[in-house]
Amino acid sequence: MRLKEIQRTAHQAWSPAVHHPIHLALGTSAQQLDASFNTTAALEIFELDFADPSMDMELKGSINTTNRLHSLVWVNFGLGENGSVGRLVAGAENGTVTVYKPESIIGSDPDSAPDSAADAVVGQSDKHTGPVRALDFNPFQNNLLASGANDSEIYIWDLNNFNSPMTPGAKSQPAEDVSVISWNRQVQHILASASPSGKAVVWDLRKNEPIIKISDHSNRMHCSGMLWHPDVATQLVLASEDDRLPVIQMWDLRFATSPLKVLENHTRGILSISWSQADPELLLSSAKDNRILCWNPNTGEVIYELPTTNQWCFDVQWCPRNPALLSTASFDGRITVYSVMGGSLAPQQHGTVDKISSSFDSMDPFGTGQMLPPLQVPQPQAQWIRRPVGASFGVTGDVREPEAAPAQTPQPVPRQVHLSQVTTETEFLQRSRELQTALQTGAFNHYCQGKIQTAKTDAEQDIWKFLLVNFEDEARIKFLRLLGFNKDDLELKVRAQIFQTRFLLLPELKHECLSRLFPFCFSDTDGLISQALLVGNFEGAVDLCLNDGRYAEAILLAISGGEELLKKTQQKYLSKQKNSLISSVVTQNWKDIVESCELDNWKEALAALLTYAHPEDFAHLCDTLGGRLESEQTEKRSLQACLCYICSGNIEKLVECWALHRDCSSPLGLEDLVEKVMMLRKSIERLRNSEVSVQSPVLAEKLTRYAGILAAEGSLSTAMAYLPENSEEVRRRLTLQISSLQALKRNMEYKAGQLKTMCIIAILIIFSFVSAPQEGWNDPPAVRGGPRKKKVPDYTPPAPITAPVMGFPEAPQPHDHHTQVPPGAPQEPNVQVCGTISAVSVSPQLLQQLPAERVEQKEIPSEHLVLKSTFDSLVQRGQLAAGDPQTKRKLDDAAKRLGFLYDKLRDQSLSPHILNGLHEISRCVAGQDYQRGLEVHTQIVSSSNFSEISGFMPVLKMLMTIATRLGV
C-alpha cells in the first residue's frame, strides 16, 4: 500500500539499516525539469513517521547544492561517532563527488542559513571528467566507495582519505560510459561495473585487473542496472533498457557463456532494479511500461505488481531497515513510499480527497482510492517474517527442528527432523528430580536431613526439622525437644530447685513440724480446724485452711472428705491462682490456653498440647493456635503458624498460610511449597497407613501450575503425577502428548535401526571385497566374459576446478555413464549407505548374521507416515484410558491388525480413492471428530473393493467406536 508521498524530482537514498528513525535523503535529479522550469538544486532529508496517517513526510533539513545529481548513496561510515549518522555521497552532473554530513543537514534551512551547505561538506573531488552516474559502497568496509562516470572512469575512494582515489585497473576498451557499479555482497574485494552497451566487467581489487567480462550475444542488452545476488557470490543480474529486449538476465560467473535465467514480463525497457537484502527472493524492477514488478528470481515469476501512475519510474529502492518498505521516484515529480504487505489506500487519501472534493463541489474526479493486494505468495514466505528455521516448541519444551533443504538443489534432498530438549529452569528440574526420587524410594528421612543442611535461614531449618520428626517414632516428645523442652533436663532443674528451697527455708520447716506435734498450743484457727476435724466437719476445716492460705492442708483434708469436696476445693484454689497452666492441667481445659495465652508464649502453649492434649483434640487445638499466630499477618508469626500446622498435619492450612506470605509465582518458589506439602502428606499417610486426599482449591491451583512447568521442561510423566484429580482436560492433553512422543520415538528408533542395519551391510560388503580377492578379477577379459561397465550414480555433483584468477569452480565436465573398467582392474562395488544398495555378491554366511526382516521391509512413504503415527497414537490413548480387560484385549489385537494397513502402504498397493479416505479419517481422529470419521469410513467401505480393505477397515471402525466411548 502507498504510505507516504512528496512532490520532488530527485534521486533518493535510505538511511542505513542501523539508523533509527528511518530517514530518506533526496537530491535534485539532473537532466530533468519540473513544470516551473526551476533550475535550482537541493539536498533534503525527510523523516518517515508511520504513526502519522497522512501522506506527508516531515522535512528535517535542507541545503542548496551547486549541481544537480545523477546518483546518491547513504553510507554508514562513522555511524554513532560523535553523533554521526553516517555520510551522504552525491555524484553530480559535472563530475563532482561530494561527501556530506547528514547530521549537519538535519536542522538546516538554506533560507535562514546560506552557509549551512559549506558546513555539511566534508569532502569533494572533481576527479571525474563527466557525470557520475554510478555510486556504491563496500558492505564490508564502509569507508570504501566506488564511483563510475564517462570514458570508462572508475575510482575507489577511501572516506578516511578522500583526496587520493585508486583505480581497479586499466580502463576498459573501447572507452564508454559506466552506467552502474556494484560491490559483491559476499566477497569484499570483488567489484562489478556495467555500461549502456550491455557489457559487464568483474574486477579483483587485490590484483587490480578485470577477471571476467560478460556480454549478451544479441548486442541489444543496453544495461541500466546491475546487482549482485545477496547470498550467492557468483551470481548477478543485469537489466536491459532496450525496448527490443526488456528483460532481466541472471548470470552465474561459473557458467558465463550465457545467462542462467531470463526474467521476461516487462513490455518496454527497464529503468531501475533493486534486490532486497533481507530476502533474496524479492527483486524489484521498474520500466518504461509504467509498471513496477516484484520478482522471485529463483522461479522467474512475478509475485507482486505495484499500481502506479502513467509516468515512468526511474528509480526504485528497498528500505534497508524495514524490509517491507520500498520507495520510487518517477518522472512526474513524485517520491512515493510503499509497503508490500497490502492494505487500503483510503485512509491515507482521505485528506487529499476531501480537499479536492470541496473544490469541485460534489464531484470527485480522482476517486477515493483502491485496495492494494499483498504479495501474491503467502506473506510468511517473505524471508524477514519467515521463521529462520522450521523449529517449533512443543508443550513439553522439546524443539522439533526440520533440517532445511539446500536452495536450488538439482534433485530432492532427504530432510531430517532433530529433536532436542530445551530447559530453562535447571535448578527447578534438579530439585524436582530429587523430590521425585525421594517419593519413589521412600527415603523421606534422608531427604529432610538434606534440606536441613542446605537451609539458608533458621526458620527454613526449623520447618524441615519439624517435617523430619513426623517420620520418626515418639514424634510428640521430639517436637517438645525442638521447642526447647527436654524432660530429662527439666528433672535435674527441679531437684536442684527443691534442694535450694529446703536449705534456705529450714527455720520455717522447723516451725511447721512443731505446730504439727502440738496443735492445741497455738492460734485460734488451728484450734477451730482441730475441733472441726474431731466432729468430722471436713468442709468447715477446708474452708478454714483456705481462708488462712494453707492450701496444701486444704487439699489433703478435701481428699479425705470425698470427691465432691475435692472438686470444690480445686476450683476455689485455682480461682485464686494466676498460673492458668496449672488450672488447665488439673481441669484438662486446653481450649482456654490456646485462645487466651500470650502469643509470645506460643511455644509453651504448643508444648502443653503436645504433653497433655488428647489425640482427638490435638489437631484442632494446634490449628486454633496456628490461626491466632497467622492472624498477626507478619512473616515471623506465619512461619510459627506453619510449625503448628505441621504438628497437626493440616496440609490445607499449611498451603494457604505459605502461599499468603511467600512468593509462589516463580518456579523455585513453587518448588519450595510442593516439597513441604509432599513431605507432610507422606508423613500423614505413614501414620494413617492410607492415602490422603487433600481438598484445597489453593493447592489444586499450585499443583496445576507446578505440573505445567514440569511439562514445559519435558518432564511429562512427573507432571502427570502432580495433577489434581479434577484436572481431566489437562490430563487428557498430556496423555495425548505422551502418546505422540512415544510414537515418534519408536518411529525414530525404527529408522535408526534401519540405518544401522544398512551401515552394517555396507561394512560387511566392503570387508568382503577388501579381505579376500574376488575370483576372476585377474583373469583376462575373455575369461571374464568381456569388459564390464562400472555403475555410476544417477547424479554426480560437479567437481570444482580452480580458475586461474578468482578461484571460481568452472562448468562441470560431462560424465560418461558407460565408462568401461580397464582390463585387469578390479570392479568397485556400488555401495550407498543411506540410499538403495545395489545387488552385490555377498556370502550367505554374512547375510545370516543380519536381521533379515529389517533389510527386506520397505519404508512407508513419507506422505503416509501421518497415518501410522495417528492410528498408533489412538491405540495408545485407548490403552491408557481403558479400565476393563476386554477392551484392552481388543486394543492389543487392533494394534497387531493395523500391520495389514501398514504393509499395503509400504507396497503402495492402495488406490488413490482409499488413500484419500484414510487421510480424511486420520484428520478426524487427530481432531477427535469420531462421528465424522465413522461417516467417512462408511463411504469408503461402500465404494471400494472389499478384498482390498477387509484387512484393516473393520479395525479402524472398532478403534473409533472405542475412542468415542472412552472419550479419548
Side-chain angles (χ1 to χ4, degrees):
M1 62 181 294
R2 187 156 56 108
L3 300 177
K4 300 291 181 182
E5 190 171 78
I6 191 172
Q7 294 288 337
R8 292 291 190 280
T9 304
H11 287 278
Q12 54 187 343
W14 288 98
S15 56
V18 294
H19 182 258
H20 179 77
I22 298 174
H23 286 77
L24 186 65
L26 303 179
T28 307
S29 178
Q31 297 181 346
Q32 297 184 41
L33 293 175
D34 56 18
S36 64
F37 294 95
N38 188 357
T39 58
T40 60
L43 184 58
E44 303 170 296
I45 296 180
F46 293 86
E47 180 180 333
L48 280 69
D49 181 9
F50 297 107
D52 180 8
S54 70
M55 300 290 287
D56 301 328
M57 292 186 284
E58 181 184 357
L59 179 63
K60 303 300 291 185
S62 173
I63 61 172
N64 291 326
T65 59
T66 56
N67 298 287
R68 295 194 169 202
L69 308 181
H70 279 284
S71 53
L72 181 66
V73 294
W74 196 328
V75 191
N76 61 347
F77 172 74
L79 193 67
E81 298 178 1
N82 299 322
S84 172
V85 292
R87 293 289 185 267
L88 272 171
V89 184
E93 57 188 348
N94 66 340
T96 302
V97 178
T98 308
V99 182
Y100 298 93
K101 293 190 298 184
E103 62 270 20
S104 297
I105 301 176
I106 295 175
S108 298
D109 185 354
D111 297 330
S112 59
D115 297 333
S116 57
D119 297 336
V121 175
V122 293
Q124 192 173 58
S125 175
D126 55 359
K127 195 81 173 177
H128 285 292
T129 57
V132 182
R133 294 185 172 88
L135 285 175
D136 193 22
F137 65 92
N138 191 305
F140 301 95
Q141 294 178 265
N142 50 35
N143 61 305
L144 296 182
L145 180 82
S147 63
N150 294 350
D151 197 25
S152 298
E153 288 181 347
I154 299 176
Y155 290 120
I156 310 298
W157 308 83
D158 186 350
L159 296 182
N160 292 314
N161 183 14
F162 197 67
N163 297 323
S164 303
M166 60 170 284
T167 62
K171 290 183 179 182
S172 301
Q173 296 298 329
E176 54 185 338
D177 297 344
V178 177
S179 58
V180 63
I181 202 163
S182 179
W183 289 95
N184 191 285
R185 315 308 295 183
Q186 299 295 321
V187 184
Q188 62 180 357
H189 58 269
I190 299 299
L191 178 72
S193 61
S195 60
S197 65
K199 295 179 182 178
V201 181
V202 179
W203 307 82
D204 187 344
L205 299 188
R206 294 182 305 181
K207 302 177 180 180
N208 274 15
E209 63 181 13
I211 57 174
I212 193 171
K213 296 182 179 181
I214 301 172
S215 62
D216 184 71
H217 298 297
S218 65
N219 293 325
R220 293 183 296 174
M221 183 71 180
H222 292 184
C223 185
S224 60
M226 177 186 62
L227 293 170
W228 287 100
H229 194 293
D231 293 339
V232 184
T234 58
Q235 293 183 2
L236 53 80
V237 293
L238 298 174
S240 173
E241 191 178 0
D242 196 322
D243 292 344
R244 298 171 298 172
L245 191 69
V247 299
I248 299 174
Q249 296 178 346
M250 177 179 285
W251 293 79
D252 195 314
L253 301 186
R254 296 169 292 184
F255 320 104
T257 55
S258 62
L260 184 67
K261 193 173 296 180
V262 179
L263 310 182
E264 300 179 277
N265 202 296
H266 284 293
T267 57
R268 296 190 64 186
I270 298 171
L271 299 174
S272 176
I273 56 175
S274 180
W275 208 329
S276 172
Q277 298 303 305
D279 189 350
E281 296 182 353
L282 297 179
L283 175 67
L284 283 174
S285 66
S286 61
K288 291 183 283 186
D289 57 4
N290 302 328
R291 300 172 68 198
I292 300 176
L293 304 180
C294 184
W295 308 76
N296 183 340
N298 294 330
T299 62
E301 62 178 344
V302 176
I303 59 176
Y304 187 74
E305 180 173 355
L306 268 74
T308 58
T309 60
N310 295 325
Q311 290 290 330
W312 299 353
C313 176
F314 64 88
D315 188 18
V316 59
Q317 291 188 25
W318 289 104
C319 175
R321 182 173 181 86
N322 188 336
L325 301 180
L326 61 99
S327 60
T328 64
S330 57
F331 285 114
D332 63 349
R334 293 177 185 269
I335 304 294
T336 309
V337 178
Y338 294 91
S339 171
V340 297
M341 305 308 293
S344 173
L345 288 177
Q348 290 83 3
Q349 292 188 347
H350 275 169
T352 304
V353 170
D354 291 343
K355 293 178 182 179
I356 296 175
S357 298
S358 62
S359 300
F360 288 84
D361 297 329
S362 60
M363 299 172 59
D364 187 3
F366 299 102
T368 58
Q370 57 178 326
M371 289 292 294
L372 281 180
L375 295 175
Q376 293 178 8
V377 295
Q379 289 186 7
Q381 185 169 345
Q383 200 170 85
W384 64 84
I385 52 177
R386 187 189 309 165
R387 289 188 293 183
V389 294
S392 59
F393 278 91
V395 69
T396 60
D398 55 306
V399 177
R400 299 169 176 86
E401 183 179 355
E403 188 178 82
Q408 300 180 346
T409 52
Q411 65 177 9
V413 176
R415 300 188 181 186
Q416 296 178 348
V417 176
H418 304 280
L419 255 68
S420 55
Q421 183 66 43
V422 176
T423 57
T424 59
E425 301 293 341
T426 307
E427 183 181 354
F428 170 83
L429 280 180
Q430 179 63 27
R431 289 175 57 179
S432 176
R433 294 190 190 102
E434 293 174 357
L435 174 61
Q436 193 65 15
T437 301
L439 294 176
Q440 292 174 351
T441 60
F444 307 122
N445 294 56
H446 178 73
Y447 181 82
C448 292
Q449 288 170 355
K451 287 295 180 180
I452 292 172
Q453 295 174 0
T454 58
K456 298 179 180 179
T457 63
D458 293 340
E460 183 79 4
Q461 195 175 63
D462 290 341
I463 287 179
W464 282 109
K465 286 180 179 179
F466 270 67
L467 288 171
L468 174 62
V469 166
N470 272 330
F471 293 102
E472 298 176 350
D473 297 331
E474 297 182 344
R476 283 200 176 189
I477 295 176
K478 294 179 179 179
F479 277 136
L480 283 172
R481 291 175 181 173
L482 291 176
L483 292 172
F485 300 98
N486 190 309
K487 187 176 181 180
D488 297 334
D489 294 343
L490 186 60
E491 185 175 352
L492 293 175
K493 292 179 182 179
V494 170
R495 290 180 179 178
Q497 182 68 23
I498 292 175
F499 176 79
Q500 183 181 6
T501 303
R502 287 181 176 176
F503 178 77
L504 294 176
L505 300 180
L506 187 58
E508 286 79 359
L509 291 173
K510 182 179 179 181
H511 174 76
E512 182 180 353
C513 292
L514 291 174
S515 64
R516 288 179 183 275
L517 290 173
F518 307 101
F520 301 106
C521 300
F522 288 94
S523 62
D524 294 339
T525 302
D526 291 334
L528 292 174
I529 294 174
S530 299
Q531 295 178 19
L533 291 175
L534 291 175
V535 296
N537 186 358
F538 288 98
E539 185 173 357
V542 168
D543 289 339
L544 290 172
C545 290
L546 291 175
N547 291 333
D548 200 28
R550 298 158 66 174
Y551 300 114
E553 295 175 2
I555 295 296
L556 291 174
L557 293 174
I559 294 174
S560 301
E563 183 177 352
E564 184 178 354
L565 179 59
L566 178 61
K567 287 183 178 180
K568 290 181 179 179
T569 305
Q570 287 177 347
Q571 292 175 357
K572 291 180 180 179
Y573 170 77
L574 293 176
S575 64
K576 297 181 179 181
Q577 299 299 314
K578 296 181 179 179
N579 193 335
S580 60
L581 178 60
I582 298 177
S583 174
S584 297
V585 171
V586 174
T587 61
Q588 294 295 305
N589 182 11
W590 298 107
K591 182 178 179 181
D592 291 340
I593 285 286
V594 297
E595 289 181 350
S596 60
C597 71
E598 295 289 337
L599 291 181
D600 289 337
N601 298 326
W602 71 274
K603 285 187 178 181
E604 288 77 6
L606 182 58
L609 296 178
L610 290 166
T611 304
Y612 296 104
H614 293 291
E616 59 270 17
D617 300 328
F618 175 73
H620 175 69
L621 292 171
C622 285
D623 290 343
T624 303
L625 180 60
R628 287 192 61 203
L629 290 168
E630 189 179 353
S631 65
E632 292 285 310
Q633 296 185 353
T634 63
E635 184 177 1
K636 178 181 177 181
R637 293 298 190 205
S638 298
L639 292 174
Q640 295 167 355
C642 289
L643 296 180
C644 295
Y645 297 143
I646 291 174
C647 291
S648 69
N650 194 327
I651 299 176
E652 295 89 339
K653 286 286 187 179
L654 176 64
V655 172
E656 292 172 4
C657 180
W658 188 270
L660 187 61
H661 299 279
R662 287 296 181 98
D663 177 27
C664 296
S665 58
S666 65
L668 291 179
L670 202 57
E671 177 69 26
D672 283 338
L673 173 62
V674 173
E675 288 171 352
K676 295 171 179 60
V677 168
M678 298 311 296
M679 286 298 108
L680 182 57
R681 181 175 181 176
K682 286 298 179 182
S683 67
I684 297 173
E685 290 178 352
R686 172 179 172 271
L687 292 174
R688 299 180 184 177
N689 200 22
S690 62
E691 290 189 1
V692 175
S693 178
V694 182
Q695 302 297 329
S696 170
V698 177
L699 179 59
E701 186 267 333
K702 300 301 181 185
L703 290 179
T704 302
R705 286 189 53 230
Y706 184 74
I709 298 175
L710 285 173
E713 296 293 323
S715 300
L716 274 177
S717 301
T718 307
M720 292 282 288
Y722 287 99
L723 278 177
E725 296 179 356
N726 58 351
S727 304
E728 295 300 329
E729 179 62 22
V730 179
R731 191 181 300 275
R732 185 189 66 80
R733 292 181 181 178
L734 288 179
T735 303
L736 178 63
Q737 187 72 10
I738 292 175
S739 302
S740 301
L741 287 176
Q742 290 174 344
L744 180 59
K745 181 179 179 181
R746 284 195 298 272
N747 188 27
M748 296 179 69
E749 290 175 348
Y750 172 74
K751 289 189 175 182
Q754 282 190 320
L755 179 61
K756 181 179 179 181
T757 301
M758 297 171 73
C759 292
I760 294 174
I761 293 176
I763 293 171
L764 292 174
I765 292 172
I766 296 173
F767 177 78
S768 66
F769 280 105
V770 173
S771 61
Q774 296 298 310
E775 182 179 358
W777 274 13
N778 296 323
D779 295 339
V783 178
R784 298 198 303 270
R788 289 184 287 180
K789 298 179 179 179
K790 180 179 179 181
K791 182 173 178 62
V792 180
D794 294 335
Y795 170 75
T796 303
I801 302 174
T802 304
V805 178
M806 283 291 292
F808 294 130
E810 293 183 355
Q813 302 297 324
H815 294 276
D816 184 5
H817 288 256
H818 303 286
T819 305
Q820 295 184 355
V821 179
Q827 179 179 357
E828 298 178 359
N830 177 43
V831 180
Q832 302 177 10
V833 176
C834 296
T836 304
I837 299 181
S838 305
V840 293
S841 175
V842 184
S843 62
Q845 291 81 4
L846 293 176
L847 290 178
Q848 289 175 0
Q849 301 174 13
L850 303 174
E853 65 278 3
R854 286 201 172 188
V855 176
E856 298 174 356
Q857 191 179 45
K858 298 179 181 178
E859 288 191 13
I860 297 176
S862 59
E863 64 268 23
H864 302 319
L865 281 175
V866 64
L867 299 178
K868 185 176 187 305
S869 62
T870 302
F871 296 148
D872 286 349
S873 176
L874 180 61
V875 172
Q876 293 161 6
R877 297 201 306 271
Q879 290 171 337
L880 289 173
D884 58 295
Q886 183 179 4
T887 303
K888 291 185 177 180
R889 285 195 299 271
K890 288 183 178 180
L891 292 170
D892 292 338
D893 181 63
K896 297 176 183 178
R897 293 175 63 186
L898 282 174
F900 292 104
L901 170 61
Y902 303 152
D903 289 340
K904 286 186 175 291
L905 292 175
R906 292 186 182 97
D907 297 335
Q908 301 185 21
S909 59
L910 295 176
S911 64
H913 167 70
I914 295 177
L915 288 173
N916 292 336
L918 289 173
H919 279 281
E920 180 63 23
I921 291 177
S922 173
R923 286 189 287 270
C924 294
V925 170
Q928 296 189 354
D929 188 0
Y930 301 119
Q931 186 62 36
R932 171 59 183 163
L934 291 171
E935 293 174 2
V936 176
H937 180 280
T938 303
Q939 295 173 4
I940 297 175
V941 172
S942 61
S943 59
S944 304
N945 186 351
F946 182 76
S947 61
E948 188 180 6
I949 62 174
S950 59
F952 56 88
M953 288 303 284
V955 181
L956 295 179
K957 182 177 182 179
M958 179 186 69
L959 282 176
M960 288 188 286
T961 303
I962 293 177
T964 302
R965 176 166 53 85
L966 296 178
V968 297

